[in-house]
Amino acid sequence: LDTMGNRSFIQDIEAICRGMAGTSPLKVRKVDPADRAKWKDALEENILGEGVKVLIADKECGITLHRKLHKEERKTEKKHGFLPLKKHMNVTPEVCENCLECTKATACPGLIPLETDYGPKIDTDLTLCVNDGACERVRTSNDYGTSVQPCPSFEEVTITRKKRRKYTLPNLRLRELPEPISLKHVGPEHPFRIHLAGVGGMGIGVVGAILVRAGHKHGYRVAFNDKKGLAIRNGGVYSQIGFFDQSITPIVESDQDVSSDNTSADSSIASSALPLGSIPYGKCDLLLGVDFLEAARAIDPREHFRVASKNRTTAVLNLFKQPTVSVLVGSNDFDPEKLHQTVADHCDRENVYARDLSTLCEERLGSKQFVNIMILGVAFQLGLIPVSANSLAWSIKNTLRRDQRANLKAFNIGRRLALEPFALRERPEPKTWEQLLTQKVRIIRKSTLLGRLWRGRRGRRLEFVVKNAIRVMPGLSEESKYDLALRIYDLMQYQDHRYAQRFVNLIRDIYRRDSADQKYQATHAALWSLAKLMLIKDEPYVAYLLTRFEKKQRDNIKYNIDPDNGDSIRYTRKNCPEIPVPFFGKVRLHITTYEWQMQIVRRMKFLRKIPGWHRRETQLRSWYEVVLQQVDLSTESSYRASVDILKSPEQITGYREVRYPKIDQVQQQVAQKLGSRVNLEVDVDARAGRLSERVGSER
């Protein structure tokens, strides 16, 4: 159909281009970019070739495609009250090595950084991820391999439901919310201005429309100014709204007093000018930061606007860390807490509300998309928006065409959180090494398939090794004790209690040479790095990480799985295991694996006895054990250099071909710092045997 609604002929771009070519050597090629390897080859061929070329990406726009898919999902959900089947792309943080190959290749906003007990990892954002599989299909090439799948942490999760989902919300008494006491008023000389900050897809325009309608409903003269941004790749968006008294006649905006940061009444409004749209310098009354990184731009004097002032501007901030593209690819980063303090320093500190509302929305309401309405509810109940509850509720109903009840619920939950910050508490996590040890002993007793006697024995062994390690290293900080207990547990799960004791003995050697005056920095660095190298992510260990009890519990929470409600979860993974075959080298398999297969592989620890099994990784582990003996902790200068050396394995990330160049680089750097090359060609099996004998004698 054409723009007038009449039927028209379908035009084919490829046929048109070939018709334009005539007898010329014009090259025309159509390729599906979903096939990344084929698309890359086509790009290289066309860019390097001579003459004019036409390369057609034969794939529907992702936005329109997923808009249609979401439309069909909404129809199904409306019919059944729930989605019987839903697929997601999931990342297992325990398996992720934070090599960032997936984010560098795609810069997809559906991938987000996640802080864990083993450092930063990558996870998927359920609200932004469209499950197109682009991250899972990433390939990498270097001197060690061509078109290699770099990561086994990706998996497709299929959620099957038989009933409507149940969200874990306590009784919040949402029908008993009191009308707030307004801290802001609108008069002939006192306008009220709001600055909304976020990124594309967060609903900044929606909240702006709600506030504009609510202001009109309440009887104000409303002016607004929107700055749109891309709905993908995190384009910055803001909306500025002003509520003015009806007695003011709108005229062209004046430039008077736009450089003053005082908080006196806008005397120019009544006499000569009504600012329409843009907020003058320092005249913002409420800063709503749905994305607080964008909210920080409102206080930055380097930007073309600065709307906040200490004595006038109140703020409600969402502290969820929404990564930028530079954060995703590892070229930049920011600290949410420091940025929060910076924004608070430029606003009225007594009226600044800050909390991670996005995560709360996802856990309690199933999606981060409600955070814009929830933050509006918080600001309203704090008395920071001079309109009535009826005006805002009416505006929400008349602005939103879908999910009106869910959005009104999110609005009222925000109001309750303003009154009772702990009405929705975060799920408890262990904070001390004692709490962690208690939790892990319980997990051992729950997750193993062996008998009660054997479960008790493993739990007692874990308690013995951890408590003994803490006893012989009492000077460690509480953070280091927590990290030590966690790594002992994981090393026991990787192999056995002897392997964990070997780790403890090596760390104790460093501890004995370390100093309390240096706060045992070297011990802490060795603790992290040695565990990283001893927990070799081979096939049995990766299979264990993909199927272990802790992951299942986390996935059930993340996807709101309730077996009693008829919910179930199924995993599909594409793996490329590498098996050393005597006399034939190595064989790389490309297979699709399922849960039952992983359950079998996780118990095949005997594979580690095969000659050449993950040889580079086992050699690296032994190399680092030699480094532990050679570092000098006796002087101030040598101590700092030694800590840097002990931390060097943090640079080694990724799997096989991705990590091998990093291993070479780190070993060269360490050899230069030590002044002599550490012998890498060690007898791995002999060293392991000597250490096992040493462990037994010391016990």
Side-chain angles (χ1 to χ4, degrees):
L1 300 178
D2 63 16
T3 55
M4 302 299 293
N6 301 315
R7 289 196 171 275
S8 178
F9 295 103
I10 295 176
Q11 302 296 335
D12 181 70
I13 298 175
E14 183 180 10
I16 292 173
C17 292
R18 294 191 185 281
M20 292 169 61
T23 58
S24 70
L26 174 68
K27 297 179 181 178
V28 182
R29 188 175 178 186
K30 182 189 289 187
V31 180
D32 182 0
D35 187 339
R36 298 182 67 87
K38 191 174 181 180
W39 176 252
K40 181 182 177 182
D41 293 341
L43 281 173
E44 290 182 351
E45 178 184 338
N46 280 268
I47 291 172
L48 297 176
E50 296 183 355
V52 178
K53 289 86 61 177
V54 177
L55 182 60
I56 302 169
D58 188 23
K59 184 173 182 288
E60 184 178 358
C61 168
I63 294 176
T64 60
L65 171 63
H66 291 97
R67 188 176 292 159
K68 289 190 296 186
L69 294 177
H70 290 160
K71 186 176 180 180
E72 293 300 318
E73 285 183 353
R74 286 194 297 271
K75 288 181 180 178
T76 304
E77 193 166 9
K78 185 176 180 180
K79 178 180 179 181
H80 300 282
F82 61 95
L83 276 177
L85 189 71
K86 177 70 175 178
K87 293 186 177 182
H88 301 274
M89 182 60 65
N90 188 52
V91 177
T92 303
E94 295 95 329
V95 181
C96 172
E97 277 284 288
N98 200 45
C99 63
L100 301 182
E101 293 293 328
C102 55
T103 58
K104 291 175 183 177
T106 64
C108 177
L111 298 171
I112 55 174
L114 177 71
E115 287 298 326
T116 71
D117 291 328
Y118 280 89
K121 305 289 186 179
I122 294 297
D123 197 8
T124 50
D125 187 323
L126 295 183
T127 303
L128 297 177
C129 178
V130 295
N131 192 32
D132 61 356
C135 50
E136 186 273 332
R137 292 194 299 270
V138 166
R139 297 292 184 272
T140 187
S141 300
N142 55 33
D143 293 339
Y144 286 91
T146 302
S147 190
V148 176
Q149 181 180 1
C151 184
S153 64
F154 289 97
E155 58 189 4
E156 187 176 67
V157 174
T158 303
I159 309 298
T160 305
R161 303 187 191 277
K162 297 181 179 180
K163 299 178 184 177
R164 185 189 298 269
R165 288 187 291 175
K166 297 177 181 178
Y167 294 105
T168 53
L169 279 174
N171 183 12
L172 298 177
R173 307 184 311 280
L174 299 182
R175 297 181 181 274
E176 303 172 10
L177 295 168
E179 191 78 15
I181 300 174
S182 182
L183 303 180
K184 299 290 184 178
H185 302 281
V186 178
E189 297 183 354
H190 298 278
F192 175 81
R193 301 183 177 95
I194 306 173
H195 181 89
L196 288 162
V199 297
M202 280 188 166
I204 300 302
V206 172
V207 176
I210 290 172
L211 287 170
V212 168
R213 284 189 168 93
H216 278 296
K217 179 74 172 177
H218 199 80
Y220 298 131
R221 186 181 298 280
V222 183
F224 63 93
N225 173 35
D226 291 336
K227 183 257 183 183
K228 300 294 185 182
L230 290 174
I232 55 174
R233 300 295 182 263
N234 297 338
V237 177
Y238 70 78
S239 184
Q240 296 183 341
I241 300 116
F243 294 163
F244 302 93
D245 191 270
Q246 283 285 7
S247 62
I248 301 174
T249 303
I251 58 178
V252 179
E253 179 178 355
S254 170
D255 291 331
Q256 295 183 32
D257 200 28
V258 293
S259 61
S260 172
D261 198 19
N262 60 58
T263 58
S264 61
D266 293 358
S267 57
S268 62
I269 291 179
S271 59
S272 62
L274 171 62
L276 296 179
S278 298
I279 299 177
Y281 185 96
K283 296 299 177 66
C284 176
D285 293 277
L286 173 60
L287 175 61
L288 283 181
V290 184
D291 178 82
F292 72 93
L293 186 60
E294 290 297 323
R297 300 185 195 279
I299 66 165
D300 191 347
R302 296 171 299 179
E303 296 291 337
H304 65 278
F305 57 78
R306 177 183 170 182
V307 300
S309 62
K310 291 184 179 180
N311 298 323
R312 178 167 183 161
T313 306
T314 60
V316 180
L317 306 172
N318 173 28
L319 292 186
F320 176 73
K321 186 176 180 179
Q322 183 68 42
T324 62
V325 172
S326 59
V327 171
L328 283 174
V329 300
S331 63
N332 201 355
D333 202 1
F334 60 91
D335 185 343
E337 188 55 38
K338 288 183 179 179
L339 201 58
H340 163 219
Q341 295 301 326
T342 302
V343 174
D345 289 341
H346 289 78
C347 297
D348 178 6
R349 268 193 168 275
E350 295 184 359
N351 289 292
V352 174
Y353 179 99
R355 185 173 178 180
D356 181 357
L357 296 174
S358 290
T359 302
L360 191 145
C361 276
E362 188 166 70
E363 290 179 352
R364 303 293 187 166
L365 297 175
S367 175
K368 294 187 180 76
Q369 67 181 357
F370 299 107
V371 68
N372 58 337
I373 307 298
M374 185 177 287
I375 202 172
L376 184 65
V378 171
F380 171 74
Q381 193 63 42
L382 291 174
L384 305 181
I385 303 177
V387 295
S388 66
N390 289 335
S391 296
L392 273 173
W394 173 88
S395 182
I396 290 173
K397 290 178 180 178
N398 284 274
T399 302
L400 301 172
R401 291 175 294 177
R402 297 190 303 267
D403 297 328
Q404 292 181 354
R405 292 181 60 185
N407 279 282
L408 283 170
K409 189 174 186 179
F411 175 73
N412 287 325
I413 290 174
R415 295 180 62 186
R416 177 57 67 187
L417 290 175
L419 294 170
E420 302 174 26
F422 298 105
L424 292 178
R425 295 181 179 273
E426 297 179 356
R427 290 184 171 87
E429 293 290 341
K431 302 295 183 184
T432 65
W433 70 268
E434 293 98 336
Q435 294 172 350
L436 177 71
L437 179 58
T438 301
Q439 181 198 63
K440 295 303 183 183
V441 170
R442 289 175 179 171
I443 289 174
I444 288 176
R445 291 171 179 169
K446 287 181 180 179
S447 58
T448 185
L449 297 177
L450 300 176
R452 184 184 300 273
L453 178 62
W454 181 245
R455 291 200 297 267
R457 187 179 180 185
R458 290 190 66 193
R460 287 194 298 271
R461 280 178 172 172
L462 174 63
E463 288 180 318
F464 173 80
V465 176
V466 171
K467 290 180 179 179
N468 186 58
I470 300 297
R471 180 182 60 81
V472 299
M473 292 181 278
L476 294 178
S477 65
E478 290 301 314
E479 178 187 1
S480 295
K481 290 178 181 178
Y482 180 96
D483 292 337
L484 179 62
L486 176 63
R487 282 151 180 79
I488 290 173
Y489 167 77
D490 285 334
L491 287 161
M492 283 187 62
Q493 298 293 81
Y494 175 83
Q495 189 65 39
D496 53 29
H497 66 283
R498 298 182 184 86
Y499 196 66
Q501 188 62 52
R502 169 182 168 183
F503 166 77
V504 172
N505 291 338
L506 290 167
I507 297 302
R508 187 173 60 179
D509 287 345
I510 289 289
Y511 177 83
R512 287 170 173 171
R513 296 155 53 197
D514 208 346
S515 168
D517 295 336
Q518 300 289 350
K519 299 180 180 179
Y520 295 103
Q521 297 178 58
T523 305
H524 186 77
L527 188 157
W528 272 62
S529 298
L530 180 61
K532 175 183 174 69
L533 301 184
M534 290 184 70
L535 291 168
I536 298 172
K537 290 182 177 175
D538 56 10
E539 283 69 19
Y541 189 53
V542 168
Y544 158 75
L545 293 175
L546 289 171
T547 58
R548 72 176 186 166
F549 179 83
E550 295 94 324
K551 177 187 182 297
K552 294 293 185 64
Q553 293 297 104
R554 187 179 63 248
D555 286 351
N556 286 345
I557 294 172
K558 181 177 181 179
Y559 297 104
N560 197 34
I561 300 299
D562 182 4
D564 295 335
N565 200 45
D567 302 341
S568 63
I569 184 169
R570 181 167 56 88
Y571 300 92
T572 304
R573 307 175 180 100
K574 295 181 180 179
N575 298 106
C576 302
E578 185 176 88
I579 309 297
V581 180
F583 309 110
F584 291 96
K586 298 178 180 179
V587 176
R588 179 71 62 85
L589 306 176
H590 297 269
I591 57 177
T592 299
T593 58
Y594 300 94
E595 190 74 2
W596 66 271
Q597 294 168 313
M598 293 288 103
Q599 291 287 354
I600 294 174
V601 174
R602 65 178 286 181
R603 292 167 173 81
M604 299 172 67
K605 296 180 182 180
F606 62 85
L607 293 174
R608 294 172 184 150
K609 297 180 181 180
I610 297 177
W613 180 264
H614 286 264
R615 186 169 184 81
R616 286 298 301 269
E617 286 79 5
T618 53
Q619 286 182 335
L620 179 64
R621 176 186 61 195
S622 299
W623 169 86
Y624 190 74
E625 292 171 0
V626 176
V627 171
L628 289 176
Q629 300 171 7
Q630 293 197 2
V631 291
D632 181 9
L633 306 177
S634 59
T635 66
E636 182 72 25
S637 59
S638 65
Y639 189 93
R640 290 196 298 269
S642 296
V643 171
D644 291 338
I645 290 173
L646 293 174
K647 288 183 177 179
S648 59
E650 294 178 3
Q651 306 171 39
I652 302 173
T653 58
Y655 287 81
R656 293 193 179 91
E657 290 84 356
V658 175
R659 70 189 288 121
Y660 292 163
K662 301 174 185 178
I663 292 175
D664 297 339
Q665 182 180 3
V666 165
Q667 289 178 335
Q668 291 173 5
Q669 292 173 354
V670 171
Q672 292 174 359
K673 291 178 181 179
L674 289 175
S676 62
R677 188 166 187 82
V678 178
N679 183 22
L680 179 60
E681 298 299 328
V682 295
D683 188 337
V684 177
D685 296 330
R687 174 173 293 279
R690 289 196 299 271
L691 286 168
S692 298
E693 292 174 3
R694 173 183 162 195
V695 168
S697 63
E698 290 186 349
R699 288 190 64 198

